[in-house]
Every structure is written in structure tokens, then in C-alpha cells.
Amino acid sequence: RRVFEAYSYLSLCEESMLHLVRSDPSADRPEWRPYVFSRHPLAVAYRYSAGGYSFAGLLLLLFADRMRSYDAGVWWCALGMALVVQGAVAYLGDVQSWGRPSVWKQLDPLLASTLFLAFGPWLGARSLLGHFVVPRSTLSLWLAGCALALFAKAKAAQASRRAAPRLEEMLAWHTLWHALPFLAVFCILDLAFMLTFAGSEFARA
């Protein structure tokens, strides 16, 4: 019985979390397509923000050997390739198919949430266990960025569920969610070129 209660509680927590970040499909209105593809700065930022995933993925592939020096137990190349794919999937789901039914709308959140769990809680747990050993400043910056990105995703979902959703608000929050891979770019370069510490000595506490 206790096992069943625990499972029910975890399922409820999972459903609550999904509701927190899940956008209302009805807010994806076809009449807003012209704005999404316009030259307005917010629309341009929204369209190109998905490219951050692919950029971060290419850097992981390029510096996979250096990343393995921080944690040899992580499949950095596989994660890099997944990020490259996510860049294309995010663009197809969030931009190209705006206001239209598409399988990319289902694939995008599935892959994005999986990658978020891999690069956020999983790497954080590996760091606590002593497997992923990086400078405290870089780890703190990354985990703070993950928390802020999750907040932005929740705000974007909340904006989409309003009785009268505003396109600019949804795009702004969603673009901030897509800022996370650009932070990943900085962190990867930081670790690859050891920008925050000298030589191989850095704080591990």
C-alpha cells in the first residue's frame, strides 16, 4: 500500500510539473503567424533562439574530450548530437509550424524536457556525488540559469492559458526559456578553455 501511495504521489507531482510548463495549444493562433515571421525584434529573437541548442551541441561535440576530463561517465557526444537535433526540432515545432498541426509540436517538448533533466538535475546530482567536478562558479551559474529558464517556461505556459493571451508576452517568456542553451555555450567555452581558474587547480568544496 505504501508503495502505491508513493507512486501516486510521484505521479501527482509529475502531472503538476507538466501542467506548470505545458502551454495551451489553443494559444498557437494562425492569425499570429505574420507577426511571428515579421522583422519585429522580438519575433526575430524568438525565431533564431532555437539555434542556441544546435550551437551548444556543436561545441559539445568539438570539445567532448575536454568535457570528459571533468566527467568521463557522461556521454558528451551523444548529448551534443541530441542538442543539435533539438535545435532543428525546436524551430520546426515553435516557429515553422506556428498555427498549424504538426508532429514537431509533440516531439519538441519531449526532447527538450529530457535534455533539461540531463543537463540540469542529472549533472547537478553527479556534481554532488563527486563525479562531475567543475569550478563552483561555473556550476552555480549553470544551475541558477536552469532555475531561471524553468521559471521563464512556466511563465510562458501561464501566459498562454490566459483568457486573452498576448502574443508578445508568450514570445518574450519563451525566448528567455531558449536563452538557456546560450548560457550553455558560455559554460562549455568556460570549461574548455579554463577561463575561470588557472591551470588545473580550482575550488572543489
Side-chain angles (χ1 to χ4, degrees):
R1 180 179 177 181
R2 289 182 178 180
V3 174
F4 176 76
E5 290 177 349
Y7 177 78
S8 299
Y9 176 75
L10 290 174
S11 298
L12 179 62
C13 290
E14 181 182 14
E15 182 60 30
S16 298
M17 179 62 69
L18 288 174
H19 175 74
L20 183 67
V21 299
R22 185 186 293 131
S23 297
D24 185 351
S26 65
D28 191 358
R29 299 179 180 178
E31 60 267 27
W32 285 339
R33 233 182 119 79
Y35 181 91
V36 172
F37 285 91
S38 72
R39 294 185 180 180
H40 190 281
L42 177 58
V44 173
Y46 174 78
R47 290 200 305 273
Y48 287 101
S49 62
Y53 290 105
S54 296
F55 188 22
L58 290 173
L59 287 180
L60 268 188
L61 292 173
L62 181 62
F63 297 117
D65 289 338
R66 298 191 187 188
M67 295 302 296
R68 276 191 284 270
S69 68
Y70 297 102
D71 190 343
V74 175
W75 294 356
W76 296 108
C77 285
L79 289 176
M81 287 186 287
L83 280 173
V84 172
V85 171
Q86 173 59 21
V89 172
Y91 182 85
L92 292 170
D94 292 336
V95 180
Q96 190 61 38
S97 60
W98 182 281
R100 300 172 179 173
S102 172
V103 67
W104 303 113
K105 294 182 184 296
Q106 284 73 47
L107 293 178
D108 175 29
L110 288 176
L111 183 54
S113 59
T114 300
L115 288 172
F116 180 85
L117 291 174
F119 284 99
W122 185 55
L123 283 185
R126 290 187 67 82
S127 179
L128 290 175
L129 293 173
H131 302 304
F132 183 50
V133 183
V134 296
R136 286 177 298 181
S137 57
T138 304
L139 181 64
S140 298
L141 176 64
W142 174 245
L143 293 181
C146 287
L148 289 173
L150 188 60
F151 173 78
K153 185 67 176 72
K155 292 295 290 184
Q158 183 185 53
S160 74
R161 293 194 295 267
R162 296 187 190 281
R166 294 191 302 113
L167 177 60
E168 292 84 355
E169 183 184 10
M170 292 190 301
L171 294 188
W173 284 116
H174 201 92
T175 301
L176 285 176
W177 156 250
H178 280 176
L180 185 61
F182 291 98
L183 177 60
V185 167
F186 172 81
C187 291
I188 293 168
L189 292 174
D190 182 34
L191 294 175
F193 293 105
M194 298 181 288
L195 299 178
T196 58
F197 54 94
S200 59
E201 297 297 324
F202 51 83
R204 299 190 180 197

